[in-house]
Amino acid sequence: MASTSSGRQANAQDRDDQGRARNARDRDDEGRARNARPRDGLGRPLPYGSEGVARQPEGVVRTPRETVAEAQELLDAGRPFHAHEVFEDAWKSGPEEERGLWRGLAQLAVGLTHAARGNVTGGARLLRRGAGAVTEWAESGAGRQRPHEMDLAGLAQWARGLAEEVERTAEPVDARTRRPRLTG
């Protein structure tokens, strides 16, 4: 029998059908916590053994053009949670002066994710936070209005409009039909 973090012995009843200790955290090869559960198109965890959508690999370094193209493909497919992961990679690996831009774009994608899941408060809040972040970045000394061909003013307008709609209707939105266009 294996020992659990509480010191008690794990028996067969404490293991799932894949042999993992129940309540154990999934770990990557370096021992970092990683949730290995399959996820749906909006990033919601599914039960182990379910058919999920392919996950975005983490820590991929892309050019800004590749980041925008891949994120747009994911948004077009109705997968804003996965687009957020692409933006997060750019935020973490890109130049310091662009981190605020990529973080704001990640917030927009997460806001759309929450709005599609029916989380009215979280969706509207993150859409507005992301709109504020990209606007602030564009207006700062480091910012430009159309970095990497993106229409930041149009994205901020889209996000604020969607936030108002989400609050007004209190209904989940279709992530595919309500996706933004990153480039003008």
Side-chain angles (χ1 to χ4, degrees):
M1 282 191 222
S3 177
T4 66
S5 61
S6 66
R8 67 180 178 82
Q9 297 295 310
N11 60 35
Q13 295 154 288
D14 293 328
R15 299 201 170 273
D16 66 17
D17 57 351
Q18 281 134 3
R20 275 188 294 266
R22 295 189 199 284
N23 302 323
R25 295 186 75 182
D26 296 322
R27 302 279 175 183
D28 66 13
D29 292 338
E30 283 91 39
R32 291 185 302 256
R34 297 278 187 236
N35 190 329
R37 285 175 62 183
R39 293 186 177 261
D40 72 5
L42 292 174
R44 293 176 289 219
L46 299 169
Y48 284 109
S50 297
E51 184 81 21
V53 299
R55 298 189 63 172
Q56 288 305 114
E58 292 183 39
V60 176
V61 177
R62 301 170 185 86
T63 67
R65 185 175 299 246
E66 291 168 335
T67 296
V68 172
E70 187 168 343
Q72 188 66 64
E73 285 179 21
L74 291 163
L75 290 166
D76 291 347
R79 296 174 56 197
F81 177 82
H82 298 83
H84 129 271
E85 292 178 331
V86 170
F87 288 134
E88 192 172 89
D89 284 342
W91 159 21
K92 292 178 178 179
S93 68
E96 182 68 36
E97 65 271 7
E98 289 190 358
R99 290 194 178 161
L101 168 65
W102 300 116
R103 183 175 53 245
L105 293 167
Q107 289 170 334
L108 292 178
V110 172
L112 177 56
T113 300
H114 283 285
R117 290 176 178 176
N119 177 352
V120 172
T121 303
R125 184 175 294 144
L126 281 161
L127 286 164
R128 287 192 179 101
R129 186 179 302 155
V134 298
T135 299
E136 181 180 327
W137 187 87
E139 293 172 352
S140 73
R144 300 184 311 273
Q145 291 299 314
R146 294 188 59 84
H148 312 299
E149 307 293 319
M150 288 185 287
D151 177 10
L152 298 186
L155 285 169
Q157 182 179 8
W158 163 84
R160 289 183 179 111
L162 185 56
E164 289 176 19
E165 177 186 327
V166 166
E167 288 176 328
R168 184 179 69 254
T169 65
E171 293 289 326
V173 300
D174 181 309
R176 183 174 286 141
T177 61
R178 296 311 315 266
R179 73 192 183 277
R181 292 293 317 153
L182 299 174
T183 57

